[in-house]
């Protein structure tokens, strides 16, 4: 075909695609698709884990991809990931930042929660003060 | 030296090699100069002459077994240390955040508001009615030896049997706290307050509450 078919899909399952595990023991882990087993499963790998087979149902694919050969060795995988700084790219993305924000919120201690509320109340007070001043000035006119 | 044991192959080991380890009766006698070793016979001490008792009980009463219980204070949760901020869960001060001073010999925790911040006096509280937060105050070394269990025991008041007259009488005046207790509280607070930051003071002044959307089983304290 001369024309490129416009697919509605932007993220493809392919060798080197980064995915987030959304179920199971490795929940929350960022893994790289190292090989495809069949229609439903892939071999996933990451620098700090033993390569394992994971169902696609348990993976959420991300925008990121690394250029690795099929069944890349751990050494090659780690090197390519470091070179492309993939994990940091994910952490800087809005998805990554949202996950970090959720984790920080769940790890808040009672004191942290108090400080957050105190800060919110303080900010709201100062905003309302200025607002009321402006309102009064506008009403006077 | 090791001797060939062809003739004594029936034995597990060479008899000569185990010379030093012989443990049989013959060996014992040999070690003790031909006789068995004996201990000197224990002579029972002569009991002092006692008179026969005048009375014997009619029935044989069973003697209760000797009780050798050593009572230890309750095991303290590892999350509770001196200086930990605790949330009180029950009683007059429920929801208040206070500072743990230590564990008393009775097992109860010694706790203070500080009184100036939240009205919680030096008090005893059970660790079962407390949430230990991960916030710890850098406590200056405070002398808490005067706050023992007996310090907190209410004065024994003689229970007067209420007659009908007393029942309808005005209730007695509430006993004022002795000045000594107030002074002790002030001294304790004066020692602790300087160690607290302004944020921490605000934190201790506030009460813990659950609001809509709070999931206490998911909260980290």
């Amino acid at each position: 075909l001369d024309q490129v078919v416009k697919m509605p899909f932007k993220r493809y399952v392919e060798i080197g695609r980064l995915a987030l595990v959304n179920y199971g023991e490795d929940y929350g882990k960022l893994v790289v698709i190292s090989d495809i087993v069949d229609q439903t499963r892939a071999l996933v790998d990451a620098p700090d884990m033993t390569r394992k087979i994971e169902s696609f149902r348990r993976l959420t694919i991300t925008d990121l991809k690394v250029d690795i050969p099929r069944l890349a060795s751990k050494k090659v995988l780690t090197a390519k990931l470091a070179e492309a700084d993939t994990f940091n790219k994910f952490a800087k993305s809005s998805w990554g930042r949202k996950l970090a924000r959720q984790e920080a919120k769940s790890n808040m201690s009672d004191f942290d929660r108090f400080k957050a509320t105190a800060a919110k109340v303080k900010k709201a007070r100062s905003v309302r003060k200025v607002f009321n001043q402006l309102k009064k000035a506008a009403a006077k006119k | 030296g090791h001797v060939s044991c062809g003739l004594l192959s029936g034995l597990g080991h060479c008899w000569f090699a185990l010379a030093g380890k012989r443990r049989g009766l013959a060996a014992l006698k040999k070690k003790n100069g031909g006789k068995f070793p004996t201990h000197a016979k224990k002579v029972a001490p002569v009991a002092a002459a006692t008179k026969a008792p005048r009375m014997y009980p009619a029935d044989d009463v069973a003697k209760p077994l000797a009780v050798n219980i050593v009572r230890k204070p309750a095991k303290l949760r590892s999350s509770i240390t001196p200086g930990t901020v605790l949330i009180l869960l029950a009683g007059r001060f429920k929801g208040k955040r206070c500072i743990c001073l230590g564990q008393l010999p009775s097992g109860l925790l010694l706790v203070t508001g500080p009184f100036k911040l939240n009205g919680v006096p030096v008090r005893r509280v059970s660790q079962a009615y407390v949430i230990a937060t991960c916030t710890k105050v850098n406590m200056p070394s405070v002398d808490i030896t005067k706050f023992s269990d007996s310090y907190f025991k209410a004065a024994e008041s003689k229970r007067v049997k209420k007659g009908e007259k007393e029942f309808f009488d005005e209730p007695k005046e509430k006993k004022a706290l002795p000045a000594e207790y107030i002074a002790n509280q002030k001294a304790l607070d004066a020692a602790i307050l300087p160690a607290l930051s302004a944020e921490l003071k605000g934190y201790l002044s506030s009460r813990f509450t659950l609001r809509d959307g709070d999931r206490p089983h998911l909260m980290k304290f």
Side-chain angles (χ1 to χ4, degrees):
Chain A
L1 281 171
D2 268 30
Q3 299 161 301
V4 173
V5 178
K6 255 188 118 187
M7 292 280 263
F9 307 114
K10 294 273 175 359
R11 299 176 188 166
Y12 295 96
V13 169
E14 52 197 319
I15 310 290
R17 175 66 62 182
L18 249 97
L20 204 62
V21 180
N22 61 33
Y23 188 93
E25 326 88 56
D26 292 320
Y27 180 86
K29 232 174 136 55
L30 259 183
V31 293
V32 178
I33 295 175
S34 184
D35 196 5
I36 313 285
V37 177
D38 59 18
Q39 183 78 358
T40 50
R41 295 179 298 165
L43 188 67
V44 294
D45 202 357
D48 58 347
M49 71 181 253
T50 314
R51 201 166 61 183
K52 69 186 284 202
I53 293 177
E54 198 78 86
S55 158
F56 286 122
R57 294 198 65 188
R58 292 190 175 192
L59 299 174
T60 317
I61 51 175
T62 67
D63 278 336
L64 300 165
K65 186 169 122 76
V66 275
D67 185 23
I68 53 164
R70 189 174 68 93
L71 292 169
S73 69
K74 201 71 115 192
K75 201 166 87 175
V76 169
L77 177 72
T78 318
K80 283 281 166 76
L81 283 169
E83 186 195 323
D85 206 18
T86 324
F87 289 136
N88 280 338
K89 279 215 184 87
F90 182 77
K92 283 202 205 104
S93 71
S94 54
W95 187 352
R97 283 184 292 137
K98 181 162 45 146
L99 289 179
R101 219 180 313 135
Q102 287 171 354
E103 205 196 322
K105 185 162 184 220
S106 74
N107 286 337
M108 269 206 285
S109 76
D110 190 46
F111 189 28
D112 294 332
R113 261 175 265 126
F114 167 80
K115 284 191 274 191
T117 336
K120 217 194 312 181
V121 165
K122 189 170 178 186
K123 180 178 165 208
R125 278 221 179 101
S126 64
V127 165
R128 208 171 325 131
K129 183 171 172 185
V130 174
F131 174 76
N132 286 334
Q133 285 169 352
L134 292 172
K135 197 163 138 186
K136 213 197 260 184
K140 267 212 189 125
K141 281 201 209 141
Chain B
H2 194 77
V3 173
S4 151
C5 305
L7 289 171
L8 302 168
S9 59
L11 297 172
H13 286 276
C14 183
W15 194 65
F16 292 101
L18 286 178
K21 291 189 187 163
R22 278 180 244 162
R23 287 198 183 87
L25 296 175
L28 276 179
K29 272 190 179 169
K30 196 163 179 154
K31 275 194 189 155
N32 207 45
K35 285 199 280 200
F36 279 123
T38 51
H39 295 288
K41 251 209 169 126
K42 258 202 205 140
V43 182
V46 179
T50 47
K51 274 166 58 177
R54 273 179 61 205
M55 304 285 276
Y56 286 98
D59 300 312
D60 275 332
V61 182
K63 238 175 77 178
L65 292 170
V67 170
N68 296 322
I69 296 176
V70 174
R71 295 203 185 273
K72 293 192 287 186
K75 188 160 173 218
L76 200 57
R77 260 181 276 157
S78 58
S79 52
I80 301 178
T81 62
T84 312
V85 174
L86 308 171
I87 302 176
L88 300 178
L89 296 173
R92 241 186 101 181
F93 303 104
K94 54 177 156 294
K96 297 263 192 188
R97 297 171 172 116
C98 53
I99 300 177
C100 174
L101 298 172
Q103 188 182 30
L104 296 171
S106 64
L108 300 171
L109 302 174
L110 187 68
V111 131
T112 184
F115 183 76
K116 191 155 188 246
L117 294 178
N118 52 24
V120 177
V122 176
R123 202 167 198 270
R124 295 186 298 172
V125 76
S126 166
Q127 63 172 314
Y129 295 95
V130 134
I131 293 179
T133 66
C134 62
T135 316
K136 302 219 193 279
V137 171
N138 217 342
M139 282 263 287
S141 53
V142 191
D143 179 29
I144 56 167
T145 49
K146 64 164 92 89
F147 302 113
S148 63
D149 284 301
S150 49
Y151 181 89
F152 296 102
K153 274 204 152 62
E156 287 287 321
S157 54
K158 272 193 40 204
R159 278 175 138 259
V160 179
K161 268 237 177 116
K162 282 204 184 128
E164 276 201 37
K165 182 172 145 305
E166 278 95 40
F167 195 79
F168 291 109
D169 267 354
E170 301 267 310
K172 287 214 189 78
E173 294 251 332
K174 247 177 77 168
K175 280 188 282 220
L177 199 60
E180 185 206 359
Y181 281 65
I182 299 176
N184 285 340
Q185 182 73 55
K186 281 218 170 90
L188 188 66
D189 286 355
I192 296 177
L193 280 170
L196 309 174
S197 66
E199 274 180 328
L200 207 54
K201 282 192 183 144
Y203 177 55
L204 293 169
S205 310
S206 63
R207 257 195 153 126
F208 172 80
T209 54
L210 287 175
R211 292 201 189 85
D212 235 11
D214 282 345
R215 309 274 181 266
H217 67 294
L218 294 176
M219 289 162 110
K220 289 212 174 96
F221 289 95

